[in-house]
Amino acid sequence: MSDTAMAAEGLKEYGMYINGKMVPSLSGRTMESDDPFKGRAWAVVPDGNTADVDAAVAAARAAFDTGPWGKMTAMERGRLLRKLGDIIARDAEEIAQCECRDNGKLYREMLGQWQYLPEWFYYFAGMGDKLQGSTIPSDRPNFFIYTRHEPIGVIGAVTPWNSPGLLLIFKLAAGLAAGCTFVVKPSEFTSVSTLELAKRIEEAGFPAGVFNVVTGQGAIGAHLVEHPGIDKVAFTGATETGKRIAAAAAKNLTRVSLELGGKSPNVIFDDADLEVAVNGAIAGIFGATGQTCMAGSRLLVQKNVHDQVVDLLIRKTRTIKLGDPMAEATELGPVATEPQFTKVMEYIDIAKAEGATCSYGGQRDPKLGGNFVQPTIFTGVHNSMRIAQEEVFGPILAVISFEDEEEAISIANDTRFGLAAAVWTQNVHRAHRVAHRLNAGTVWINAYRVVSYAAPFGGFKESGLGRENGVDSIKEFTETKSVFVELSGVARDPFRLG
């Protein structure tokens, strides 16, 4: 599209961000970013190629190896992180609007996220200078031994379309605090908020090359993952994509951290506060239109309260207001992309074909059309059904009944995923007992969809490798170095170990 055409359409135009500058793709190509609510383009970003990736990696490599970033103390990096947090807090409304237009999530949810995200930078700003090594009692006479935590180097971050800002900052805050540099490949559907973040990083005073963004189709993400100049790949997205990334990164023995899919169980026992539990179940699956890795897509309900819970669930779901994600009253927005909408509708057909009962919803919203799917509840689900085993990533809830605690745990753990889970009960002993036995990286008790910069986040089994957030996450961006210091100055036998 020409500059004149873009101006006539009122489209915002962005460059990719390489070595401290917004630049066009070396190919000269662009691609449109569509507003899923309005069903039309609202912004234009570069459609990059492998040469753009090479340029970004070279910039990040130089910034790490020879630039001023590598010479900064952890305290100096911390000051920049705190300043960036202040800038994001100032501009949270603007960035949230961009993200809302990119992926159709509720503006009030995006605003809440961006108002909270500065805390990640404040938290990790104070952690870089706490990366303390240790002294090791020496078993060698006249030797002093100590360790250091050194930054890994250049990070290739590949982020998804559902929460591009949040899931990037999970990686970025810790990685920058550790002293790493970044090349980010956001989803081709949702690149704008990452480019808006790049502007704030520049304003905060980070040296050129520390943070780089390449935009485009999946091929450039594949090139980034396989690039020999990348020291670690940090990925959030689908499990099958994560497996391909791990295999590609292995060619160079590049380290990986993978935050992948989920099929998270939300377990309601008969002694739970059912009103509160149902509200939690609704938030767990219909929040973000179900497009979140931690979605509580399997609702496990004890048999003696099953009908009561389902009735309450349907009654509350009927009141969910679909509409413009920018409107304060809207509670459920559109599915973010046309391919994802098609996938969600296919899974509704699969569930019906397998014998599940569609107790509510199950179709495109007749009033809004577009990518709007009614919040959908399936009952009569068995855990062997595809609707109970495969990640749908949409507003589709599978309700499964269980007899007792042992059966609940068995069903909850009977999946290849292990990202999140929840337990709803007023019995404190049961709550902790069941939480301990659930195979998931995060377990909520009488709550759902809560995260914190201070709490590690990641999955068991096929939900991923490594952890983001929390004290230990910064070490995911470091290497440990052992240093042996000869104290005696006496020449040693060069042909003898030790």
Side-chain angles (χ1 to χ4, degrees):
M1 184 179 290
S2 68
D3 292 345
T4 302
M6 284 188 285
E9 291 289 330
L11 303 181
K12 296 190 70 172
E13 184 177 8
Y14 291 86
M16 59 179 68
Y17 189 73
I18 299 177
N19 204 27
K21 296 179 181 178
M22 288 286 181
V23 295
S25 170
L26 293 171
S27 70
R29 297 193 305 267
T30 61
M31 58 186 186
E32 295 178 344
S33 185
D34 293 332
D35 182 328
F37 172 66
K38 295 182 178 179
R40 61 175 182 266
W42 76 280
V44 175
V45 300
D47 185 7
N49 58 20
T50 57
D52 295 305
V53 174
D54 293 342
V57 173
R61 183 89 264 160
F64 182 79
D65 289 342
T66 61
W69 181 249
K71 299 178 179 65
M72 284 186 181
T73 66
M75 189 72 74
E76 290 170 328
R77 294 196 300 269
R79 281 195 286 269
L80 290 176
L81 287 167
R82 284 190 292 274
K83 185 173 181 181
L84 176 58
D86 291 342
I87 293 170
I88 291 172
R90 180 197 71 193
D91 295 346
E93 292 184 10
E94 181 181 350
I95 307 174
Q97 288 173 8
C98 291
E99 200 150 285
C100 178
R101 297 190 70 179
D102 249 359
N103 66 9
K105 291 179 76 172
L106 301 187
Y107 170 68
R108 54 194 170 98
E109 179 179 353
M110 292 298 93
L111 180 58
Q113 278 189 13
W114 280 98
Q115 289 175 330
Y116 187 32
L117 284 173
E119 303 296 332
W120 266 256
F121 294 106
Y122 302 148
Y123 179 78
F124 284 102
M127 193 176 292
D129 60 354
K130 312 300 187 299
L131 272 174
Q132 299 168 348
S134 59
T135 58
I136 300 173
S138 177
D139 61 341
R140 305 296 186 188
N142 302 317
F143 268 94
F144 173 67
I145 308 172
Y146 66 93
T147 62
R148 289 176 56 89
H149 296 291
E150 305 283 7
I152 285 179
V154 180
I155 310 300
V158 183
T159 56
W161 48 259
N162 61 319
S163 290
L166 177 79
L167 296 171
L168 171 58
I169 288 172
F170 275 16
K171 303 160 182 53
L172 187 64
L176 291 177
C180 295
T181 59
F182 278 77
V183 178
V184 181
K185 163 55 175 79
S187 166
E188 59 268 32
F189 297 109
T190 55
S191 299
V192 172
S193 62
T194 304
L195 294 169
E196 289 286 348
L197 177 63
K199 295 178 183 178
R200 277 76 185 177
I201 287 174
E202 182 176 350
E203 181 183 349
F206 284 78
V210 170
F211 182 77
N212 306 271
V213 184
V214 289
T215 58
Q217 306 298 320
I220 66 169
H223 185 65
L224 177 64
V225 167
E226 296 178 348
H227 202 290
I230 294 294
D231 299 301
K232 174 180 175 172
V233 175
F235 170 74
T236 299
T239 294
E240 296 309 313
T241 306
K243 290 179 180 180
R244 292 195 296 271
I245 285 174
K251 295 175 184 177
N252 296 317
L253 293 181
T254 303
R255 295 178 181 273
V256 295
S257 60
L258 306 171
E259 194 270 280
L260 306 176
K263 198 67 186 175
S264 301
N266 220 338
V267 185
I268 299 179
F269 287 98
D270 59 5
D271 64 343
D273 182 325
L274 298 185
E275 183 87 16
V276 173
V278 168
N279 285 341
I282 288 173
I285 185 58
F286 299 138
T289 318
Q291 300 169 121
T292 172
C293 53
M294 65 177 75
S297 53
R298 289 187 300 153
L299 185 65
L300 279 56
V301 184
Q302 199 155 14
K303 280 187 178 179
N304 57 327
V305 293
H306 173 274
D307 293 348
Q308 185 180 350
V309 167
V310 170
D311 289 346
L312 187 57
L313 186 64
I314 292 172
R315 189 162 72 248
K316 287 178 176 288
T317 301
R318 287 185 192 279
T319 68
I320 293 175
K321 181 175 176 55
L322 285 68
D324 183 351
M326 290 294 295
E328 179 67 24
T330 299
E331 296 171 316
L332 192 120
V335 174
T337 71
E338 187 66 33
Q340 185 60 28
F341 171 80
T342 300
K343 176 185 174 183
V344 170
M345 297 306 295
E346 287 174 349
Y347 267 101
I348 290 174
D349 291 338
I350 289 168
K352 291 176 179 178
E354 288 186 326
T357 300
C358 186
S359 295
Y360 185 78
Q363 60 182 323
R364 182 195 295 259
D365 187 81
K367 296 179 181 178
L368 294 167
N371 289 351
F372 280 91
V373 179
Q374 293 175 330
T376 298
I377 300 167
F378 280 101
T379 56
V381 176
H382 302 291
N383 204 50
S384 59
M385 293 179 177
R386 290 180 64 186
I387 198 72
Q389 289 292 321
E390 299 175 13
E391 187 175 44
V392 178
F393 227 65
I396 312 297
L397 179 64
V399 183
I400 304 169
S401 64
F402 65 88
E403 288 280 2
D404 54 24
E405 187 175 309
E406 285 301 317
E407 187 180 19
I409 293 166
S410 176
I411 294 172
N413 289 338
D414 183 19
T415 171
R416 64 192 178 105
F417 298 108
L419 187 61
V423 182
W424 301 86
T425 177
Q426 296 186 74
N427 182 322
V428 66
H429 300 292
R430 168 185 275 169
H432 292 286
R433 184 170 62 243
V434 174
H436 174 69
R437 294 182 63 191
L438 291 174
N439 295 331
T442 297
V443 179
W444 297 284
I445 296 174
N446 296 329
Y448 209 89
R449 287 189 75 213
V450 180
V451 297
S452 168
Y453 50 81
F457 184 78
F460 290 11
K461 299 188 284 189
E462 291 193 19
S463 286
L465 301 171
R467 290 295 182 269
E468 297 175 329
N469 306 333
V471 171
D472 292 335
S473 66
I474 193 170
K475 292 182 181 178
E476 300 263 356
F477 294 92
T478 66
E479 302 274 23
T480 301
K481 177 187 293 182
S482 296
V483 181
F484 289 74
V485 182
E486 166 67 74
L487 300 176
S488 68
V490 177
R492 303 184 63 80
D493 183 346
F495 300 104
R496 180 179 178 184
L497 180 65

